[in-house]
Amino acid sequence: KKNTVQISLPEGYYKGGKVVESFCRRLWNNQVWNKLIKKELITRNNIFFAEGLTLEDELFSLQIALNANALYVLKKPTYNYYIRQGSIIRTAGRNLGRWLTFSSINRLMSDYIVNHGFNRNPFVARYFLENVIVNLSQIHRLKKLEYPIFRDITSLYYYNLITLYKQGYLSIKELIAYYYLNLAGKLGYSYFKLINFLFSVSKRIKK
């Protein structure tokens, strides 16, 4: 079965802040195999794949988006990608190792964002928030989210959620759901468990 993957951006030229904004809104994907990237952009900004880790596209593409001055979107199939049985994509959801690797990638992303001065950009803060939420929720779904893992992942988030809410990048519902990121230590962990318990009860009632 063949599927054509299309990105949400219309074909055309984008420059300046529109590049990182569109990436952070996930209007173009982070896989590198369907892109042509200038060598100068990579070498000038010392952008390299993280050695020894899978999911390295996540970090690489973020670095490209943060440093690129322009991009052109071509709405045509450019790459044939075959997904085999047993691949990382097909087994990701039930693989704890995959999500622990994702937390390692997220740590590298957080360090890069902060160390290169992108930590004040609310688009980037919203993007990275979604990464942290996915990381936590997937490990929680596997019933493996013990406090040390929770602490390590939540410590990566550098932005204040109330500020993000006031800037219009977070709804009040999201602020309440994710507020554990603003709470210290085991208080945040208890809040996370409470929110997930209430969510599971709500789902059962709706059924």
Side-chain angles (χ1 to χ4, degrees):
K1 183 180 179 180
K2 294 182 178 180
N3 292 311
T4 301
V5 178
Q6 291 278 6
I7 66 173
S8 301
L9 281 175
E11 182 165 331
Y13 183 68
Y14 298 83
K15 61 181 180 178
K18 291 295 183 182
V19 177
V20 66
E21 177 186 338
S22 60
F23 177 81
C24 290
R25 292 174 61 196
R26 302 181 191 272
L27 298 180
W28 48 286
N29 57 38
N30 55 27
Q31 288 83 5
V32 299
W33 35 257
N34 64 344
K35 299 173 181 65
L36 291 175
I37 302 170
K38 283 188 175 181
K39 180 181 177 181
E40 180 188 358
L41 173 61
I42 296 171
T43 56
R44 184 178 68 240
N45 295 286
N46 294 313
I47 300 173
F48 301 100
F49 286 112
E51 292 188 19
L53 294 173
T54 54
L55 309 174
E56 64 276 23
D57 287 9
E58 295 271 351
L59 174 63
F60 185 90
S61 293
L62 175 68
Q63 293 172 325
I64 291 294
L66 291 176
N67 291 286
N69 294 319
L71 70 87
Y72 188 88
V73 174
L74 180 66
K75 302 283 281 195
K76 294 180 180 179
T78 57
Y79 193 92
N80 291 324
Y81 185 83
Y82 176 73
I83 300 178
R84 61 179 175 78
Q85 294 292 334
S87 68
I88 292 175
I89 289 178
R90 286 189 176 273
T91 61
R94 56 183 183 271
N95 188 334
L96 176 61
R98 193 263 193 194
W99 297 110
L100 293 178
T101 297
F102 190 44
S103 69
S104 297
I105 292 291
N106 279 335
R107 180 171 298 282
L108 294 173
M109 292 173 71
S110 179
D111 289 345
Y112 188 87
I113 291 167
V114 172
N115 294 336
H116 289 78
F118 298 108
N119 52 311
R120 294 183 179 180
N121 186 317
F123 278 115
V124 178
R126 171 71 201 205
Y127 173 86
F128 189 63
L129 171 65
E130 293 170 0
N131 269 27
V132 170
I133 298 304
V134 168
N135 207 169
L136 290 169
S137 62
Q138 290 295 332
I139 297 176
H140 174 72
R141 189 174 64 84
L142 295 173
K143 304 186 187 305
K144 300 291 185 179
L145 190 62
E146 302 295 335
Y147 173 66
I149 296 176
F150 174 87
R151 178 194 60 212
D152 289 347
I153 295 174
T154 55
S155 70
L156 304 179
Y157 197 66
Y158 55 86
Y159 213 83
N160 187 291
L161 291 189
I162 294 177
T163 302
L164 201 61
Y165 166 71
K166 289 180 177 178
Q167 292 174 320
Y169 293 86
L170 203 64
S171 69
I172 186 64
K173 184 177 179 180
E174 290 173 319
L175 176 62
I176 294 170
Y178 308 146
Y179 195 72
Y180 53 83
L181 289 168
N182 267 30
L183 301 175
K186 291 190 176 181
L187 178 60
Y189 186 53
S190 297
Y191 188 98
F192 175 87
K193 291 194 293 185
L194 175 62
I195 286 293
N196 278 275
F197 171 75
L198 295 175
F199 179 71
S200 64
V201 170
S202 174
K203 284 181 65 176
R204 286 198 294 268
I205 291 174
K206 289 179 180 178
K207 288 181 180 179

